Amino acid sequence: MSAEFSTISKSANVKDISRIEHPVSFGHRVEVHVDSDVGAFTFINTDTVIYRNTSIGRYCSFARNCEVGVANHPTTMLSSHSFQYSGWMFPAMEEYNFKRETKFLAHPKTSIGSDVWVGAQSVIKAGVSIGHGAIVAANSVVTKDVPAYAIVGGSPAKLIRYRFDHMDILFLLNTEWWELPFSEIKTLPFDDIQACIARLREIRKSMPEAEQAG
């Protein structure tokens, strides 16, 4: 869809708009750093930061003051400081720009599936993978992968429960409803998960393969 359907605050800082799948809604002072992708219909609220090398699916919701893809720091090197492997922080200091032999990846790939809700003031560590349909409770610190449709919370975040039973989760993952055209899902019986699954399976069966991606 066209960018004209997106709502992006003038104070938001998006490093590469070409990696945004419109429409999206970004609140005040949202930051989306380089090498990051954001899927359609995703909402990112005020003061949330999406760090580099992060992939976000469709229909995700991020509350205020979240940090996603927070950098790792070395714990077994001489220092936890980035001067050992990166010279970006003090570019005006000539001596700081020495050739570095040490390699360290501060921002490994962070993957957020579709239909993920991240509560206010949560922190997601770089390199973590969060499955489709998962929920991260407010004020959580996510340091490990989160399964699809899991609800996690705490610091560090731990499993609280799953949104649906095992078979319903499998059916939902199989339908990949977030990939369907919006026109096909807007009339679903949203408050009846069994009816939704049945209807989604019917939609998938009736659509030509080439038309199934939204």
Side-chain angles (χ1 to χ4, degrees), residues 59-63 66 112-120 122 124 130-138 150-152 163:
Y59 298 93
C60 289
S61 305
F62 294 85
C66 297
I112 312 294
S114 292
D115 185 34
V116 172
W117 170 25
V118 180
S122 291
I124 298 173
I130 297 182
H132 299 303
I135 294 174
V136 177
I151 300 175
V152 300
R163 290 177 58 189

Coordinates of all heavy atoms in Angstrom, one line a residue, residues 59-63 66 112-120 122 124 130-138 150-152 163:
Y59 N 1.1 -6.2 11.8 CA 0.1 -6.2 12.9 C 0.7 -6.2 14.3 O 0.1 -6.8 15.2 CB -1.0 -7.2 12.7 CG -1.8 -7.1 11.4 CD1 -1.4 -7.8 10.3 CD2 -2.9 -6.3 11.3 CE1 -2.1 -7.7 9.1 CE2 -3.7 -6.2 10.2 CZ -3.2 -6.9 9.0 OH -4.0 -6.8 7.9
C60 N 1.8 -5.7 14.4 CA 2.5 -5.7 15.8 C 2.1 -4.4 16.5 O 1.8 -3.4 15.9 CB 4.0 -5.8 15.6 SG 4.5 -7.4 15.1
S61 N 2.2 -4.4 17.8 CA 1.8 -3.3 18.7 C 2.9 -3.1 19.7 O 3.2 -4.0 20.5 CB 0.5 -3.5 19.4 OG -0.5 -3.8 18.4
F62 N 3.5 -1.9 19.7 CA 4.6 -1.6 20.7 C 4.1 -0.4 21.5 O 3.8 0.7 21.0 CB 5.9 -1.2 20.0 CG 6.5 -2.4 19.2 CD1 6.1 -2.7 17.9 CD2 7.4 -3.2 19.8 CE1 6.7 -3.7 17.2 CE2 8.0 -4.2 19.1 CZ 7.6 -4.5 17.8
A63 N 4.0 -0.6 22.8 CA 3.6 0.5 23.7 C 4.7 1.5 23.9 O 5.8 1.5 23.2 CB 3.2 -0.1 25.0
C66 N 9.5 1.5 24.8 CA 10.1 0.1 24.6 C 11.5 0.3 23.9 O 11.7 1.3 23.1 CB 9.2 -0.8 23.8 SG 7.6 -1.1 24.5
I112 N 11.1 -10.2 15.2 CA 9.8 -10.1 15.9 C 8.7 -10.5 14.8 O 8.7 -10.0 13.7 CB 9.5 -8.6 16.3 CG1 10.6 -8.0 17.1 CG2 8.2 -8.6 17.1 CD1 10.9 -8.6 18.4
G113 N 8.0 -11.6 15.2 CA 7.0 -12.1 14.2 C 5.8 -11.1 14.0 O 5.9 -10.0 14.4
S114 N 4.8 -11.6 13.4 CA 3.6 -10.8 13.2 C 2.6 -11.0 14.4 O 2.7 -12.0 15.1 CB 2.8 -11.2 11.9 OG 3.6 -10.9 10.8
D115 N 1.7 -10.0 14.6 CA 0.8 -10.0 15.7 C 1.4 -10.2 17.0 O 0.9 -10.9 17.9 CB -0.2 -11.2 15.5 CG -1.4 -11.2 16.5 OD1 -1.8 -10.1 16.9 OD2 -1.8 -12.3 16.9
V116 N 2.5 -9.4 17.2 CA 3.2 -9.4 18.5 C 2.9 -8.1 19.3 O 2.9 -7.1 18.7 CB 4.7 -9.6 18.3 CG1 5.5 -9.4 19.7 CG2 5.1 -10.9 17.8
W117 N 2.6 -8.2 20.5 CA 2.3 -7.1 21.4 C 3.4 -7.0 22.4 O 3.6 -7.9 23.2 CB 0.9 -7.2 22.0 CG 0.6 -6.2 23.1 CD1 1.1 -4.9 23.2 CD2 -0.3 -6.4 24.2 NE1 0.6 -4.3 24.3 CE2 -0.3 -5.2 24.9 CE3 -1.2 -7.4 24.6 CZ2 -1.1 -5.0 26.1 CZ3 -2.0 -7.2 25.7 CH2 -1.9 -6.0 26.4
V118 N 4.0 -5.8 22.5 CA 5.1 -5.6 23.5 C 4.6 -4.4 24.4 O 4.4 -3.3 24.0 CB 6.4 -5.2 22.8 CG1 7.5 -4.9 23.8 CG2 6.9 -6.3 21.8
G119 N 4.5 -4.8 25.7 CA 4.0 -3.8 26.7 C 5.0 -2.7 27.0 O 6.2 -2.8 26.7
A120 N 4.5 -1.7 27.6 CA 5.2 -0.4 27.9 C 6.5 -0.7 28.7 O 6.6 -1.6 29.6 CB 4.4 0.5 28.7
S122 N 9.2 -2.2 28.0 CA 9.9 -3.4 27.9 C 11.2 -3.3 27.1 O 11.3 -2.4 26.3 CB 9.0 -4.5 27.2 OG 7.9 -4.8 28.0
I124 N 14.0 -5.6 24.8 CA 14.2 -6.9 24.1 C 15.7 -6.9 23.6 O 16.1 -6.0 22.8 CB 13.3 -7.0 22.9 CG1 11.8 -7.1 23.4 CG2 13.6 -8.3 22.1 CD1 10.8 -7.1 22.3
I130 N 11.2 -13.5 18.6 CA 9.9 -13.6 19.2 C 8.9 -14.1 18.2 O 8.7 -13.5 17.1 CB 9.4 -12.2 19.8 CG1 10.4 -11.8 20.9 CG2 8.0 -12.3 20.3 CD1 10.1 -10.5 21.5
G131 N 8.2 -15.2 18.5 CA 7.3 -15.8 17.6 C 6.0 -15.1 17.3 O 5.6 -14.2 18.1
H132 N 5.3 -15.5 16.2 CA 4.0 -14.9 15.9 C 3.1 -14.9 17.0 O 3.0 -15.9 17.8 CB 3.4 -15.6 14.7 CG 4.2 -15.6 13.4 ND1 4.7 -14.4 12.8 CD2 4.7 -16.6 12.6 CE1 5.4 -14.7 11.7 NE2 5.4 -16.0 11.6
G133 N 2.3 -13.9 17.2 CA 1.2 -13.9 18.2 C 1.6 -13.8 19.6 O 0.8 -13.9 20.5
A134 N 2.9 -13.6 19.9 CA 3.4 -13.6 21.3 C 3.0 -12.2 22.0 O 2.8 -11.2 21.3 CB 4.9 -13.8 21.4
I135 N 3.0 -12.2 23.3 CA 2.7 -11.0 24.1 C 3.8 -10.9 25.1 O 4.2 -11.8 25.8 CB 1.4 -11.1 24.8 CG1 0.2 -11.0 23.8 CG2 1.2 -9.9 25.8 CD1 -1.1 -11.2 24.4
V136 N 4.4 -9.7 25.2 CA 5.4 -9.4 26.2 C 4.8 -8.4 27.2 O 4.4 -7.3 26.8 CB 6.7 -8.7 25.5 CG1 7.7 -8.4 26.6 CG2 7.3 -9.7 24.5
A137 N 4.7 -8.8 28.4 CA 4.1 -7.9 29.4 C 4.9 -6.7 29.7 O 6.1 -6.6 29.5 CB 3.9 -8.7 30.7
A138 N 4.2 -5.6 30.2 CA 4.9 -4.4 30.4 C 6.1 -4.6 31.4 O 6.0 -5.4 32.3 CB 3.9 -3.4 31.0
A150 N 3.0 -17.3 22.9 CA 3.3 -17.3 24.3 C 3.1 -15.9 25.0 O 3.3 -14.9 24.3 CB 4.8 -17.7 24.6
I151 N 2.8 -15.9 26.2 CA 2.7 -14.6 27.0 C 3.8 -14.7 28.0 O 3.9 -15.7 28.8 CB 1.4 -14.5 27.7 CG1 0.2 -14.4 26.7 CG2 1.4 -13.2 28.6 CD1 -1.2 -14.4 27.3
V152 N 4.8 -13.8 28.0 CA 5.9 -13.8 28.9 C 5.9 -12.5 29.6 O 5.4 -11.4 29.2 CB 7.2 -14.0 28.1 CG1 7.2 -15.3 27.3 CG2 7.5 -12.8 27.1
R163 N -1.6 -18.1 24.7 CA -2.8 -17.4 24.4 C -3.9 -18.4 24.1 O -5.1 -18.2 24.5 CB -2.7 -16.4 23.3 CG -1.8 -15.2 23.6 CD -1.6 -14.4 22.3 NE -2.9 -13.9 21.7 CZ -3.0 -13.3 20.6 NH1 -1.9 -13.1 19.8 NH2 -4.2 -12.9 20.1

